[in-house]
Amino acid sequence: MTYRVVRIPGDGVGPEVLAAGRSVLDAAATTFGFSIEWTDIVVGGGAIDAFGVPIREEDLELARTSDAVYLGAIGGPRWDDPSAPVRPEQALFALRGGLELFANLRPVTVHPALVHSSPVRADLLEGVDLLIVRELTSGLYFGRPSEERATADGRVAVDTLWYTDGEIRRVARLAFELARGRSKRLTSVDKANVLASSRLWRKVVDELRPDYPDVEVEHRLVDATAMLLVKRPASFDVLVTENLFGDILSDEASVLAGSLGMLPSASVGDRRTAHGLHGLYEPIHGSAPHMAGTDRANPIGAILSGAMLCRWSLGREDAAAAIESAVSRALDDGVRTADLMPRDEEGLERVGTAGMAEAIVARLGAPVLGSPVLGAPVLGDPIAGPAR
Ligand code: IPM
Ligand code: MG
């Protein structure tokens, strides 16, 4: 079996972490007897330089007709001028919106060997295993108008926080389904004491409750949730929230895992291919331009995104679980990138981006029962998918 995956190395450290991720995916494919046909496309800052646009229509079409999209990172200071008419990030929105990837899944687990890499107290990190489901194609990121205007009172800028009940329902339903496959607890996060869009969000979530009597639902305000994510992170299971709230809370939650570089993500909608859900997979860290080309970036977020790609879009649970176990074993064995190891420590081996990928490839094999598996319990049954 050959799967077709479109690769978007992108800007900054994107190409390095994606090369690392590709080597792990290719090795897993060999282990499990399949192959991946890669098509690279230039998107983001690189595309602005080469073609004058953040993403070309024909490249969006390649992404749409693939089995999955694997992305490194997009953006950088070179393209950051606030008055520039085109920005690299527009490519992300074109991909998310154009491929209808309305849900962004960000699992956060804490590997036992990394509890001391987090600034959060070790006893609070015990048992942390949460999944943020961020709405990805509406809300403040997509609402119109979004512009600056010259008025008699000076310059005015407006952004629009817009949600239809349908947009809320489809992402909330997916979150209910995911909660059902985990510990059956769902936290819906909003700002219903202030925002009309949040009050609609609450109503729609409540309307879905009868379909999921086995799932315990709580509503929480986003400010209190931000506090509780640090104070008692282990009390959360699945969180579902509006686009911007999810963006902010997921960076906050990444601190629990020891480094932003650890966290993978999957963006999915409800379009299916022959093998699973169509989706886009990327680490949640950005392009980290100061580190680009130095072989210092942590590729684990990209590698675990590759595992999610196998599970959700290719229907290859075997490869996904094996990659997750191999990452766990490398960490158990003391292999660390610089972000996970600020000082040299006895028993730990400091490696670069490529070195971490090699350490993980060397540990690929059938998953060992009982070894902690990063991100594995998160995903329910991707092939059965949400019931509709
Ligand atoms: C993310 C990033 C993007 C976002 C940026 C780069 C536009 O922060 O994927 O979380 O805000 O969605
Ligand atoms: Mg973000």
mmCIF file with all atom_site columns, all heavy atoms in Angstrom, residues 106 132 134 141 222 226 229 242-254:
data_model
loop_
_atom_site.group_PDB
_atom_site.id
_atom_site.type_symbol
_atom_site.label_atom_id
_atom_site.label_alt_id
_atom_site.label_comp_id
_atom_site.label_asym_id
_atom_site.label_entity_id
_atom_site.label_seq_id
_atom_site.pdbx_PDB_ins_code
_atom_site.Cartn_x
_atom_site.Cartn_y
_atom_site.Cartn_z
_atom_site.occupancy
_atom_site.B_iso_or_equiv
_atom_site.pdbx_formal_charge
_atom_site.auth_seq_id
_atom_site.auth_comp_id
_atom_site.auth_asym_id
_atom_site.auth_atom_id
_atom_site.pdbx_PDB_model_num
ATOM 1   N N   . ARG A 1 106 ? -5.253  19.067 20.001 1.00 0.00 ? 106 ARG A N   1
ATOM 2   C CA  . ARG A 1 106 ? -3.933  19.242 20.611 1.00 0.00 ? 106 ARG A CA  1
ATOM 3   C C   . ARG A 1 106 ? -3.845  18.440 21.907 1.00 0.00 ? 106 ARG A C   1
ATOM 4   O O   . ARG A 1 106 ? -4.254  18.909 22.966 1.00 0.00 ? 106 ARG A O   1
ATOM 5   C CB  . ARG A 1 106 ? -3.680  20.726 20.858 1.00 0.00 ? 106 ARG A CB  1
ATOM 6   C CG  . ARG A 1 106 ? -3.655  21.498 19.542 1.00 0.00 ? 106 ARG A CG  1
ATOM 7   C CD  . ARG A 1 106 ? -3.244  22.943 19.676 1.00 0.00 ? 106 ARG A CD  1
ATOM 8   N NE  . ARG A 1 106 ? -2.892  23.469 18.361 1.00 0.00 ? 106 ARG A NE  1
ATOM 9   C CZ  . ARG A 1 106 ? -2.470  24.702 18.134 1.00 0.00 ? 106 ARG A CZ  1
ATOM 10  N NH1 . ARG A 1 106 ? -2.350  25.543 19.124 1.00 0.00 ? 106 ARG A NH1 1
ATOM 11  N NH2 . ARG A 1 106 ? -2.163  25.083 16.910 1.00 0.00 ? 106 ARG A NH2 1
ATOM 12  N N   . ILE A 1 132 ? -7.026  19.301 23.939 1.00 0.00 ? 132 ILE A N   1
ATOM 13  C CA  . ILE A 1 132 ? -7.708  20.553 23.594 1.00 0.00 ? 132 ILE A CA  1
ATOM 14  C C   . ILE A 1 132 ? -8.267  20.419 22.179 1.00 0.00 ? 132 ILE A C   1
ATOM 15  O O   . ILE A 1 132 ? -7.537  20.074 21.246 1.00 0.00 ? 132 ILE A O   1
ATOM 16  C CB  . ILE A 1 132 ? -6.743  21.748 23.699 1.00 0.00 ? 132 ILE A CB  1
ATOM 17  C CG1 . ILE A 1 132 ? -6.277  21.888 25.161 1.00 0.00 ? 132 ILE A CG1 1
ATOM 18  C CG2 . ILE A 1 132 ? -7.420  23.039 23.209 1.00 0.00 ? 132 ILE A CG2 1
ATOM 19  C CD1 . ILE A 1 132 ? -5.325  23.030 25.418 1.00 0.00 ? 132 ILE A CD1 1
ATOM 20  N N   . ARG A 1 134 ? -9.748  22.666 19.515 1.00 0.00 ? 134 ARG A N   1
ATOM 21  C CA  . ARG A 1 134 ? -9.871  24.093 19.183 1.00 0.00 ? 134 ARG A CA  1
ATOM 22  C C   . ARG A 1 134 ? -10.656 24.227 17.886 1.00 0.00 ? 134 ARG A C   1
ATOM 23  O O   . ARG A 1 134 ? -10.289 23.611 16.877 1.00 0.00 ? 134 ARG A O   1
ATOM 24  C CB  . ARG A 1 134 ? -8.453  24.651 19.024 1.00 0.00 ? 134 ARG A CB  1
ATOM 25  C CG  . ARG A 1 134 ? -8.382  26.018 18.382 1.00 0.00 ? 134 ARG A CG  1
ATOM 26  C CD  . ARG A 1 134 ? -6.926  26.397 18.096 1.00 0.00 ? 134 ARG A CD  1
ATOM 27  N NE  . ARG A 1 134 ? -6.857  27.675 17.423 1.00 0.00 ? 134 ARG A NE  1
ATOM 28  C CZ  . ARG A 1 134 ? -5.774  28.167 16.838 1.00 0.00 ? 134 ARG A CZ  1
ATOM 29  N NH1 . ARG A 1 134 ? -4.645  27.480 16.863 1.00 0.00 ? 134 ARG A NH1 1
ATOM 30  N NH2 . ARG A 1 134 ? -5.804  29.337 16.234 1.00 0.00 ? 134 ARG A NH2 1
ATOM 31  N N   . TYR A 1 141 ? -10.731 34.553 13.995 1.00 0.00 ? 141 TYR A N   1
ATOM 32  C CA  . TYR A 1 141 ? -9.769  34.428 12.900 1.00 0.00 ? 141 TYR A CA  1
ATOM 33  C C   . TYR A 1 141 ? -10.408 34.608 11.530 1.00 0.00 ? 141 TYR A C   1
ATOM 34  O O   . TYR A 1 141 ? -9.724  34.948 10.573 1.00 0.00 ? 141 TYR A O   1
ATOM 35  C CB  . TYR A 1 141 ? -9.098  33.051 12.939 1.00 0.00 ? 141 TYR A CB  1
ATOM 36  C CG  . TYR A 1 141 ? -7.971  32.914 13.927 1.00 0.00 ? 141 TYR A CG  1
ATOM 37  C CD1 . TYR A 1 141 ? -8.196  33.079 15.290 1.00 0.00 ? 141 TYR A CD1 1
ATOM 38  C CD2 . TYR A 1 141 ? -6.694  32.605 13.505 1.00 0.00 ? 141 TYR A CD2 1
ATOM 39  C CE1 . TYR A 1 141 ? -7.170  32.932 16.198 1.00 0.00 ? 141 TYR A CE1 1
ATOM 40  C CE2 . TYR A 1 141 ? -5.654  32.452 14.412 1.00 0.00 ? 141 TYR A CE2 1
ATOM 41  C CZ  . TYR A 1 141 ? -5.902  32.621 15.757 1.00 0.00 ? 141 TYR A CZ  1
ATOM 42  O OH  . TYR A 1 141 ? -4.870  32.459 16.646 1.00 0.00 ? 141 TYR A OH  1
ATOM 43  N N   . VAL A 1 222 ? -13.203 31.167 30.232 1.00 0.00 ? 222 VAL A N   1
ATOM 44  C CA  . VAL A 1 222 ? -11.828 30.998 29.733 1.00 0.00 ? 222 VAL A CA  1
ATOM 45  C C   . VAL A 1 222 ? -10.783 31.534 30.714 1.00 0.00 ? 222 VAL A C   1
ATOM 46  O O   . VAL A 1 222 ? -9.699  30.952 30.850 1.00 0.00 ? 222 VAL A O   1
ATOM 47  C CB  . VAL A 1 222 ? -11.686 31.621 28.320 1.00 0.00 ? 222 VAL A CB  1
ATOM 48  C CG1 . VAL A 1 222 ? -11.947 33.122 28.316 1.00 0.00 ? 222 VAL A CG1 1
ATOM 49  C CG2 . VAL A 1 222 ? -10.324 31.303 27.721 1.00 0.00 ? 222 VAL A CG2 1
ATOM 50  N N   . ALA A 1 226 ? -7.839  29.195 32.306 1.00 0.00 ? 226 ALA A N   1
ATOM 51  C CA  . ALA A 1 226 ? -6.405  29.488 32.164 1.00 0.00 ? 226 ALA A CA  1
ATOM 52  C C   . ALA A 1 226 ? -5.709  29.294 33.511 1.00 0.00 ? 226 ALA A C   1
ATOM 53  O O   . ALA A 1 226 ? -4.598  28.749 33.583 1.00 0.00 ? 226 ALA A O   1
ATOM 54  C CB  . ALA A 1 226 ? -6.207  30.912 31.662 1.00 0.00 ? 226 ALA A CB  1
ATOM 55  N N   . LEU A 1 229 ? -5.664  25.439 34.516 1.00 0.00 ? 229 LEU A N   1
ATOM 56  C CA  . LEU A 1 229 ? -4.749  24.618 33.717 1.00 0.00 ? 229 LEU A CA  1
ATOM 57  C C   . LEU A 1 229 ? -3.371  24.526 34.374 1.00 0.00 ? 229 LEU A C   1
ATOM 58  O O   . LEU A 1 229 ? -2.637  23.575 34.160 1.00 0.00 ? 229 LEU A O   1
ATOM 59  C CB  . LEU A 1 229 ? -4.593  25.200 32.314 1.00 0.00 ? 229 LEU A CB  1
ATOM 60  C CG  . LEU A 1 229 ? -5.575  24.685 31.267 1.00 0.00 ? 229 LEU A CG  1
ATOM 61  C CD1 . LEU A 1 229 ? -5.395  25.451 29.962 1.00 0.00 ? 229 LEU A CD1 1
ATOM 62  C CD2 . LEU A 1 229 ? -5.394  23.186 31.025 1.00 0.00 ? 229 LEU A CD2 1
ATOM 63  N N   . GLU A 1 242 ? -13.526 27.964 21.406 1.00 0.00 ? 242 GLU A N   1
ATOM 64  C CA  . GLU A 1 242 ? -13.451 28.899 20.276 1.00 0.00 ? 242 GLU A CA  1
ATOM 65  C C   . GLU A 1 242 ? -11.999 29.042 19.800 1.00 0.00 ? 242 GLU A C   1
ATOM 66  O O   . GLU A 1 242 ? -11.055 28.837 20.570 1.00 0.00 ? 242 GLU A O   1
ATOM 67  C CB  . GLU A 1 242 ? -14.041 30.228 20.785 1.00 0.00 ? 242 GLU A CB  1
ATOM 68  C CG  . GLU A 1 242 ? -14.179 31.350 19.808 1.00 0.00 ? 242 GLU A CG  1
ATOM 69  C CD  . GLU A 1 242 ? -12.944 32.217 19.703 1.00 0.00 ? 242 GLU A CD  1
ATOM 70  O OE1 . GLU A 1 242 ? -12.179 32.307 20.679 1.00 0.00 ? 242 GLU A OE1 1
ATOM 71  O OE2 . GLU A 1 242 ? -12.743 32.795 18.625 1.00 0.00 ? 242 GLU A OE2 1
ATOM 72  N N   . ASN A 1 243 ? -11.836 29.405 18.554 1.00 0.00 ? 243 ASN A N   1
ATOM 73  C CA  . ASN A 1 243 ? -10.544 29.477 17.869 1.00 0.00 ? 243 ASN A CA  1
ATOM 74  C C   . ASN A 1 243 ? -9.446  30.218 18.668 1.00 0.00 ? 243 ASN A C   1
ATOM 75  O O   . ASN A 1 243 ? -8.402  29.635 18.988 1.00 0.00 ? 243 ASN A O   1
ATOM 76  C CB  . ASN A 1 243 ? -10.802 30.147 16.507 1.00 0.00 ? 243 ASN A CB  1
ATOM 77  C CG  . ASN A 1 243 ? -9.730  29.837 15.476 1.00 0.00 ? 243 ASN A CG  1
ATOM 78  O OD1 . ASN A 1 243 ? -8.626  29.451 15.803 1.00 0.00 ? 243 ASN A OD1 1
ATOM 79  N ND2 . ASN A 1 243 ? -10.063 30.008 14.207 1.00 0.00 ? 243 ASN A ND2 1
ATOM 80  N N   . LEU A 1 244 ? -9.681  31.481 19.021 1.00 0.00 ? 244 LEU A N   1
ATOM 81  C CA  . LEU A 1 244 ? -8.620  32.252 19.692 1.00 0.00 ? 244 LEU A CA  1
ATOM 82  C C   . LEU A 1 244 ? -8.376  31.741 21.117 1.00 0.00 ? 244 LEU A C   1
ATOM 83  O O   . LEU A 1 244 ? -7.223  31.647 21.563 1.00 0.00 ? 244 LEU A O   1
ATOM 84  C CB  . LEU A 1 244 ? -8.976  33.743 19.719 1.00 0.00 ? 244 LEU A CB  1
ATOM 85  C CG  . LEU A 1 244 ? -7.925  34.642 20.396 1.00 0.00 ? 244 LEU A CG  1
ATOM 86  C CD1 . LEU A 1 244 ? -6.609  34.638 19.628 1.00 0.00 ? 244 LEU A CD1 1
ATOM 87  C CD2 . LEU A 1 244 ? -8.434  36.076 20.525 1.00 0.00 ? 244 LEU A CD2 1
ATOM 88  N N   . PHE A 1 245 ? -9.451  31.387 21.838 1.00 0.00 ? 245 PHE A N   1
ATOM 89  C CA  . PHE A 1 245 ? -9.255  30.853 23.190 1.00 0.00 ? 245 PHE A CA  1
ATOM 90  C C   . PHE A 1 245 ? -8.391  29.581 23.111 1.00 0.00 ? 245 PHE A C   1
ATOM 91  O O   . PHE A 1 245 ? -7.513  29.354 23.929 1.00 0.00 ? 245 PHE A O   1
ATOM 92  C CB  . PHE A 1 245 ? -10.596 30.492 23.854 1.00 0.00 ? 245 PHE A CB  1
ATOM 93  C CG  . PHE A 1 245 ? -11.527 31.660 24.098 1.00 0.00 ? 245 PHE A CG  1
ATOM 94  C CD1 . PHE A 1 245 ? -12.886 31.424 24.336 1.00 0.00 ? 245 PHE A CD1 1
ATOM 95  C CD2 . PHE A 1 245 ? -11.076 32.966 24.107 1.00 0.00 ? 245 PHE A CD2 1
ATOM 96  C CE1 . PHE A 1 245 ? -13.760 32.478 24.569 1.00 0.00 ? 245 PHE A CE1 1
ATOM 97  C CE2 . PHE A 1 245 ? -11.949 34.029 24.341 1.00 0.00 ? 245 PHE A CE2 1
ATOM 98  C CZ  . PHE A 1 245 ? -13.298 33.780 24.567 1.00 0.00 ? 245 PHE A CZ  1
ATOM 99  N N   . GLY A 1 246 ? -8.673  28.754 22.104 1.00 0.00 ? 246 GLY A N   1
ATOM 100 C CA  . GLY A 1 246 ? -7.936  27.492 21.956 1.00 0.00 ? 246 GLY A CA  1
ATOM 101 C C   . GLY A 1 246 ? -6.479  27.728 21.603 1.00 0.00 ? 246 GLY A C   1
ATOM 102 O O   . GLY A 1 246 ? -5.582  26.998 22.038 1.00 0.00 ? 246 GLY A O   1
ATOM 103 N N   . ASP A 1 247 ? -6.228  28.745 20.798 1.00 0.00 ? 247 ASP A N   1
ATOM 104 C CA  . ASP A 1 247 ? -4.854  29.105 20.442 1.00 0.00 ? 247 ASP A CA  1
ATOM 105 C C   . ASP A 1 247 ? -4.070  29.440 21.714 1.00 0.00 ? 247 ASP A C   1
ATOM 106 O O   . ASP A 1 247 ? -2.967  28.938 21.943 1.00 0.00 ? 247 ASP A O   1
ATOM 107 C CB  . ASP A 1 247 ? -4.883  30.313 19.494 1.00 0.00 ? 247 ASP A CB  1
ATOM 108 C CG  . ASP A 1 247 ? -3.488  30.776 19.118 1.00 0.00 ? 247 ASP A CG  1
ATOM 109 O OD1 . ASP A 1 247 ? -2.650  29.911 18.818 1.00 0.00 ? 247 ASP A OD1 1
ATOM 110 O OD2 . ASP A 1 247 ? -3.242  31.996 19.144 1.00 0.00 ? 247 ASP A OD2 1
ATOM 111 N N   . ILE A 1 248 ? -4.676  30.266 22.557 1.00 0.00 ? 248 ILE A N   1
ATOM 112 C CA  . ILE A 1 248 ? -3.976  30.743 23.751 1.00 0.00 ? 248 ILE A CA  1
ATOM 113 C C   . ILE A 1 248 ? -3.836  29.617 24.783 1.00 0.00 ? 248 ILE A C   1
ATOM 114 O O   . ILE A 1 248 ? -2.750  29.369 25.318 1.00 0.00 ? 248 ILE A O   1
ATOM 115 C CB  . ILE A 1 248 ? -4.729  31.956 24.350 1.00 0.00 ? 248 ILE A CB  1
ATOM 116 C CG1 . ILE A 1 248 ? -4.723  33.115 23.339 1.00 0.00 ? 248 ILE A CG1 1
ATOM 117 C CG2 . ILE A 1 248 ? -4.087  32.382 25.665 1.00 0.00 ? 248 ILE A CG2 1
ATOM 118 C CD1 . ILE A 1 248 ? -5.640  34.277 23.694 1.00 0.00 ? 248 ILE A CD1 1
ATOM 119 N N   . LEU A 1 249 ? -4.926  28.911 25.045 1.00 0.00 ? 249 LEU A N   1
ATOM 120 C CA  . LEU A 1 249 ? -4.873  27.864 26.079 1.00 0.00 ? 249 LEU A CA  1
ATOM 121 C C   . LEU A 1 249 ? -3.923  26.736 25.689 1.00 0.00 ? 249 LEU A C   1
ATOM 122 O O   . LEU A 1 249 ? -3.295  26.120 26.547 1.00 0.00 ? 249 LEU A O   1
ATOM 123 C CB  . LEU A 1 249 ? -6.271  27.294 26.347 1.00 0.00 ? 249 LEU A CB  1
ATOM 124 C CG  . LEU A 1 249 ? -7.276  28.246 27.003 1.00 0.00 ? 249 LEU A CG  1
ATOM 125 C CD1 . LEU A 1 249 ? -8.612  27.522 27.206 1.00 0.00 ? 249 LEU A CD1 1
ATOM 126 C CD2 . LEU A 1 249 ? -6.761  28.800 28.331 1.00 0.00 ? 249 LEU A CD2 1
ATOM 127 N N   . SER A 1 250 ? -3.791  26.458 24.381 1.00 0.00 ? 250 SER A N   1
ATOM 128 C CA  . SER A 1 250 ? -2.920  25.342 24.026 1.00 0.00 ? 250 SER A CA  1
ATOM 129 C C   . SER A 1 250 ? -1.444  25.705 24.194 1.00 0.00 ? 250 SER A C   1
ATOM 130 O O   . SER A 1 250 ? -0.641  24.856 24.575 1.00 0.00 ? 250 SER A O   1
ATOM 131 C CB  . SER A 1 250 ? -3.230  24.795 22.631 1.00 0.00 ? 250 SER A CB  1
ATOM 132 O OG  . SER A 1 250 ? -3.130  25.792 21.665 1.00 0.00 ? 250 SER A OG  1
ATOM 133 N N   . ASP A 1 251 ? -1.062  26.952 23.954 1.00 0.00 ? 251 ASP A N   1
ATOM 134 C CA  . ASP A 1 251 ? 0.326   27.333 24.266 1.00 0.00 ? 251 ASP A CA  1
ATOM 135 C C   . ASP A 1 251 ? 0.553   27.261 25.769 1.00 0.00 ? 251 ASP A C   1
ATOM 136 O O   . ASP A 1 251 ? 1.611   26.820 26.239 1.00 0.00 ? 251 ASP A O   1
ATOM 137 C CB  . ASP A 1 251 ? 0.644   28.760 23.775 1.00 0.00 ? 251 ASP A CB  1
ATOM 138 C CG  . ASP A 1 251 ? 1.221   28.767 22.364 1.00 0.00 ? 251 ASP A CG  1
ATOM 139 O OD1 . ASP A 1 251 ? 0.881   27.857 21.585 1.00 0.00 ? 251 ASP A OD1 1
ATOM 140 O OD2 . ASP A 1 251 ? 1.997   29.692 22.046 1.00 0.00 ? 251 ASP A OD2 1
ATOM 141 N N   . GLU A 1 252 ? -0.441  27.686 26.534 1.00 0.00 ? 252 GLU A N   1
ATOM 142 C CA  . GLU A 1 252 ? -0.296  27.620 27.990 1.00 0.00 ? 252 GLU A CA  1
ATOM 143 C C   . GLU A 1 252 ? -0.108  26.158 28.431 1.00 0.00 ? 252 GLU A C   1
ATOM 144 O O   . GLU A 1 252 ? 0.793   25.831 29.196 1.00 0.00 ? 252 GLU A O   1
ATOM 145 C CB  . GLU A 1 252 ? -1.526  28.218 28.683 1.00 0.00 ? 252 GLU A CB  1
ATOM 146 C CG  . GLU A 1 252 ? -1.365  28.245 30.195 1.00 0.00 ? 252 GLU A CG  1
ATOM 147 C CD  . GLU A 1 252 ? -2.655  28.542 30.949 1.00 0.00 ? 252 GLU A CD  1
ATOM 148 O OE1 . GLU A 1 252 ? -3.720  28.694 30.324 1.00 0.00 ? 252 GLU A OE1 1
ATOM 149 O OE2 . GLU A 1 252 ? -2.582  28.593 32.188 1.00 0.00 ? 252 GLU A OE2 1
ATOM 150 N N   . ALA A 1 253 ? -0.968  25.282 27.901 1.00 0.00 ? 253 ALA A N   1
ATOM 151 C CA  . ALA A 1 253 ? -0.927  23.876 28.323 1.00 0.00 ? 253 ALA A CA  1
ATOM 152 C C   . ALA A 1 253 ? 0.376   23.199 27.916 1.00 0.00 ? 253 ALA A C   1
ATOM 153 O O   . ALA A 1 253 ? 0.814   22.240 28.558 1.00 0.00 ? 253 ALA A O   1
ATOM 154 C CB  . ALA A 1 253 ? -2.122  23.130 27.734 1.00 0.00 ? 253 ALA A CB  1
ATOM 155 N N   . SER A 1 254 ? 1.015   23.711 26.869 1.00 0.00 ? 254 SER A N   1
ATOM 156 C CA  . SER A 1 254 ? 2.254   23.063 26.408 1.00 0.00 ? 254 SER A CA  1
ATOM 157 C C   . SER A 1 254 ? 3.344   23.130 27.474 1.00 0.00 ? 254 SER A C   1
ATOM 158 O O   . SER A 1 254 ? 4.248   22.295 27.499 1.00 0.00 ? 254 SER A O   1
ATOM 159 C CB  . SER A 1 254 ? 2.747   23.724 25.127 1.00 0.00 ? 254 SER A CB  1
ATOM 160 O OG  . SER A 1 254 ? 3.351   24.965 25.429 1.00 0.00 ? 254 SER A OG  1
#
